[in-house]
Structure formats: structure tokens, C-alpha cells
């Protein structure tokens, strides 16, 4: 694992959080996630209003109103401009509030440690990542159409979480078969049930196991027709595997060995940007950066990704940026 130098500095004038911001921000995060679990954001973003029916719901609605996310007409609530933005981006809130909480909690007993092992709520991170992806449907469409216009094959999603991306792509590339692999067996079990319920079990297979290339191939690979895989995708995982292993090219080389007929690669990940102060990073990334720094998981620059692609003979055919630092790249090779 490679040590990283924190990009942020201790300069108070840039941050300027008040005690109120700290406490209210934490509560707002909890209310946003609860409202999501009740389906409120889906309803509101769909253009409908909500009407709380219990005291608890009423309290949450008023909290969201006070935060500026909702307005009230009679007993019904609807979205404000800010509320629309928060609702669309609620995956980031879920990830920070619920998904990464076990990691941040460990800071209290880690004053003398070099790193804290990433300890996440796997189901929450999976759902958060799928929500983050769903807010940019045109990126899905770009990937899905690229796959759909090629000869049908098999697309593998390495680190597929709850298979939200695979499900969405299966709806666009309707002749393609999909494989998803994730290290979290419980997440895979729940996702397998979802896939069956959606009637997609014929086209989507999900397996539990690690996708980190090691000296010995992982056990799940024995259950896969390796020659059939033509596209490999991985979202928000390559940076971690590259940090834990021997860099980006080593991970990609491992996947290329596993799947000899792989002709397309789709990588979505956060790029490391240079900035003097952590608050100058794109909007959601201060926490993102702290999380990576304390766990020792590196973020990599665009130049580092591109050097690895070039080294292995991959050509970038499309790049889709999201908030500057989240980048999805489609690559091909002859
Ligand atoms: C940040 S999430 C991204 C999820 C999903 N790819 C997405 O973007 O929606 C990282 C995912 O990788 C999985 N993961 C972590 N290490 C892994 C490994 N060595 N092999 C397979 N999956 C892994 C986690 O369980 C988690 O679901």
C-alpha cells in the first residue's frame, strides 16, 4: 500500500464551519437518508408531493423544510431547487453518513496508527454507488449503446455491488449476457434475488469473490466461461485494487489474463486532482479525500490511468466526466 500526502492543509480561513453547520449537517444527512428509505426522494423527483402521515414523518419533513430542501403547501411538501439537487445526489450522502461511518468511527482509537482499515456498511455503500450512477442516465446510455451496437457477447462487472449497473445495462444492451462479481457475499445474495425477481436470471449471473488478481486465480473464475467475456467494466474499485496491489497496469493485466477475448474495457473512477486546500476540491470530495487518506487507499491521476492504458495497448474511445473528478472511460483494443 502506498502512502499518500494529504492534499488538505490546516488553514481555518478556507473552511470556516460553525458549530451549527457541524451539528445541523450531521442531522440533515440522517434525515436525507431516512427520507430516501421511505421513498420520498423518488416520489418528489418524479414530480409528486409528499404528505406525512405520522408524527415521525412530520418531524422529518419539517427538518427537511428547515434545511431548505422542501416547501409546504397545506399539508403537502414539495421540492425546492436545493432539495432537487440533494435528492439527485443522495447517494453521496448515504455513502458518507451510513456507508463510511464505521471507518470514521475507528479514528477515535487510531491516533497512533498509520492507516485505518476501510470498514464499511457494504449494503449501504452498494446502494449509494448505484444511486450515484443512476443520477447520470446518459452515462449508462453511452455504455449500453456501445455494447448494444457491437456483436453480442458477455460483459463482466468487476466489483458489481448490488448489480444496479448491470441491471440498467441489461435493459439497454438486450442481447448481451452479464456477469457480476463482488467480494461481499451478502450483497451478491440479495442482488441475485432481485435479478431473479426481475426475470433477468437467464442473462445475468452474479458471483461472490475477489476480483483482485493474485498469484492463484480466484475460485469463482472456475465457474465462468472465460473465453466468452468480451467487455470488462469496473466502477469505483480500480483505484483501491491498484493501491492494495501493484498499480493500475498490474490489475488490468491480471484481468486481461483472465479474459483473453476481452476487447472493451469500461472504467469509472475518481481522479486525483491537485488543490492546495481540501475545500477547493470539487463539491463532494473533501470527505471523499479524507476517507481515502485515512484508509491509505490512493486516488490516481488521469495521467497515471492513461499511462497504464497506453502500456497495455488500450485506446480511449470515449470519456464521460461527472463533476470533474468522476470519470467514465470506454477503451478498446484490436
Ligand atoms: C465503491 S463500491 C462500487 C460499487 C459499484 N462498482 C458501483 O460503482 O456502483 C466498491 C465495491 O467493490 C467491492 N469490492 C471491494 N474489494 C473487492 C474485491 N477485492 N473484489 C471484488 N469486489 C470488491 C465492494 O464490496 C463494493 O461493492
Amino acid at each position: 500500500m502506498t502512502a499518500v500526502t494529504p492534499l488538505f492543509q490546516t488553514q481555518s480561513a478556507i473552511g470556516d464551519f460553525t458549530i451549527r453547520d457541524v451539528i445541523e449537517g450531521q442531522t440533515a444527512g440522517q434525515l436525507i437518508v431516512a427520507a430516501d428509505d421511505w421513498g420520498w426522494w423518488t416520489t418528489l423527483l418524479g414530480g409528486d408531493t409528499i404528505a406525512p402521515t405520522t408524527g415521525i414523518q412530520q418531524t422529518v419533513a419539517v427538518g427537511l423544510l428547515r434545511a431548505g430542501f422542501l416547501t409546504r403547501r397545506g399539508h403537502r411538501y414539495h421540492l425546492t431547487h436545493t432539495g432537487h439537487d440533494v435528492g439527485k445526489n443522495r447517494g453521496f450522502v448515504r455513502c458518507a453518513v451510513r456507508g463510511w461511518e464505521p471507518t470514521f468511527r475507528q479514528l477515535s482509537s487510531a491516533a497512533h496508527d498509520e492507516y485505518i482499515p476501510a470498514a464499511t456498511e457494504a449494503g449501504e455503500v452498494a446502494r449509494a454507488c448505484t444511486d450515484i450512477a443512476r443520477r447520470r442516465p446518459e452515462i449508462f446510455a453511452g455504455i449500453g449503446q456501445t455494447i448494444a451496437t457491437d456483436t453480442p457477447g458477455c460483459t463482466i462487472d468487476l466489483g458489481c455491488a448490488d448489480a444496479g449497473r448491470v441491471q440498467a445495462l441489461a435493459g439497454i444492451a438486450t442481447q448481451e449476457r452479464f456477469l457480476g462479481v463482488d467480494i461481499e457475499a451478502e450483497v451478491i445474495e440479495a442482488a441475485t434475488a432481485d435479478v431473479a425477481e426481475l426475470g433477468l436470471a437467464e442473462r445475468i449471473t452474479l458471483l461472490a469473490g475477489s476480483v483482485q488478481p493474485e498469484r492463484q486465480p480466484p475460485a469463482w473464475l472456475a465457474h465462468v466461461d472465460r473465453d466468452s467475456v468480451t467487455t470488462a467494466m469496473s466502477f469505483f474499485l480500480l483505484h483501491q485494487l491498484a493501491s492494495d496491489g501493484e498499480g493500475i497496469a498490474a490489475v488490468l493485466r491480471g484481468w486481461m489474463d483472465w479474459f483473453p477475448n476481452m476487447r472493451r474495457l469500461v472504467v469509472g473512477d475518481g481522479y486525483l486532482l491537485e488543490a492546495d486546500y481540501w475545500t477547493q476540491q470539487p463539491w463532494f470530495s473533501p470527505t471523499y479525500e479524507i476517507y481515502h487518506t485515512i484508509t491509505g487507499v490512493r486516488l490516481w491521476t488521469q495521467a497515471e490511468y492513461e499511462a497504464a492504458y497506453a502500456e497495455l495497448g488500450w485506446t480511449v474511445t470515449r470519456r464521460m466526466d461527472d463533476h470533474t473528478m468522476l470519470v467514465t472511460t470506454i477503451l478498446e483494443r484490436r
Side-chain angles (χ1 to χ4, degrees):
M1 205 175 279
T2 323
V4 286
T5 309
L7 289 179
F8 54 88
Q9 319 263 319
T10 50
Q11 205 217 32
S12 62
I14 304 282
D16 269 350
F17 285 13
T18 63
I19 183 68
R20 183 191 159 102
D21 295 330
V22 173
I23 294 174
E24 297 314 304
Q26 140 99 1
T27 305
Q30 296 291 353
L31 300 188
I32 289 164
V33 176
D36 191 26
D37 290 333
W38 298 342
W40 282 10
W41 298 112
T42 306
T43 303
L44 290 161
L45 290 167
D48 289 332
T49 56
I50 49 147
T53 55
T54 64
I56 288 275
Q57 290 182 20
Q58 185 66 29
T59 305
V60 170
V62 170
L64 294 170
L65 179 139
R66 286 190 186 140
F69 306 150
L70 301 180
T71 55
R72 179 165 47 197
R73 246 182 250 140
H75 65 289
R76 304 198 71 88
Y77 291 77
H78 55 111
L79 279 180
T80 61
H81 233 63
T82 320
H84 187 273
D85 194 38
V86 165
K88 274 226 84 109
N89 296 302
R90 62 195 187 279
F92 292 113
V93 179
R94 179 180 293 277
C95 191
V97 168
R98 291 266 178 89
W100 289 345
E101 196 274 343
T103 296
F104 284 107
R105 182 179 285 262
Q106 292 178 83
L107 277 175
S108 302
S109 54
H112 303 289
D113 298 345
E114 196 178 353
Y115 295 114
I116 294 170
T120 56
E121 290 289 344
E124 300 284 354
V125 170
R127 174 155 172 205
C129 288
T130 294
D131 283 343
I132 289 168
R134 284 208 178 106
R135 67 200 230 296
R136 291 292 302 272
E138 71 278 16
I139 295 183
F140 270 131
I143 301 167
Q145 279 150 16
T146 304
I147 294 171
T149 49
D150 196 0
T151 314
C154 177
T155 294
I156 188 164
D157 187 1
L158 298 143
C160 66
D162 62 4
R165 290 174 192 268
V166 166
Q167 285 175 27
L169 291 174
I172 304 171
T174 53
Q175 302 304 308
E176 188 81 356
R177 279 173 300 107
F178 291 87
L179 271 170
V181 184
D182 198 281
I183 202 163
E184 293 289 345
E186 279 181 25
V187 171
I188 286 292
E189 198 181 318
T192 302
D194 289 347
V195 163
E197 204 164 301
L198 292 168
L200 290 169
E202 288 284 301
R203 288 177 52 218
I204 300 178
T205 303
L206 304 177
L207 299 168
S210 176
V211 301
Q212 176 75 281
E214 312 269 6
R215 209 181 294 249
Q216 292 298 323
W220 60 266
L221 206 54
H223 303 282
V224 167
D225 175 5
R226 299 193 297 125
D227 290 339
S228 72
V229 174
T230 43
T231 298
M233 338 187 271
S234 192
F235 299 92
F236 305 135
L237 179 60
L238 182 52
H239 70 281
Q240 183 189 323
L241 300 177
S243 302
D244 293 344
E246 285 163 34
I248 299 169
V251 177
L252 296 180
R253 199 177 288 112
W255 293 346
M256 289 159 71
D257 288 346
W258 290 349
F259 309 116
N261 297 324
M262 179 176 138
R263 57 176 186 263
R264 182 177 304 107
L265 184 60
V266 184
V267 175
D269 219 324
Y271 282 1
L272 176 66
L273 304 176
E274 302 287 339
D276 288 338
Y277 305 108
W278 63 280
T279 47
Q280 294 171 323
Q281 290 278 329
W283 67 275
F284 77 93
S285 74
T287 295
Y288 185 93
E289 186 189 21
I290 292 172
Y291 172 82
H292 286 89
T293 308
I294 61 180
T295 56
V297 173
R298 267 204 64 182
L299 291 177
W300 304 73
T301 63
Q302 180 174 349
E304 286 172 315
Y305 279 98
E306 288 182 355
Y309 298 148
E311 182 186 331
L312 299 170
W314 290 97
T315 306
V316 176
T317 58
R318 193 156 176 197
R319 271 190 45 176
M320 295 171 278
D321 290 14
D322 179 358
H323 282 291
T324 317
M325 65 172 301
L326 295 181
V327 181
T328 299
T329 310
I330 303 181
L331 302 113
E332 287 180 7
R333 65 171 180 163
R334 270 160 271 125

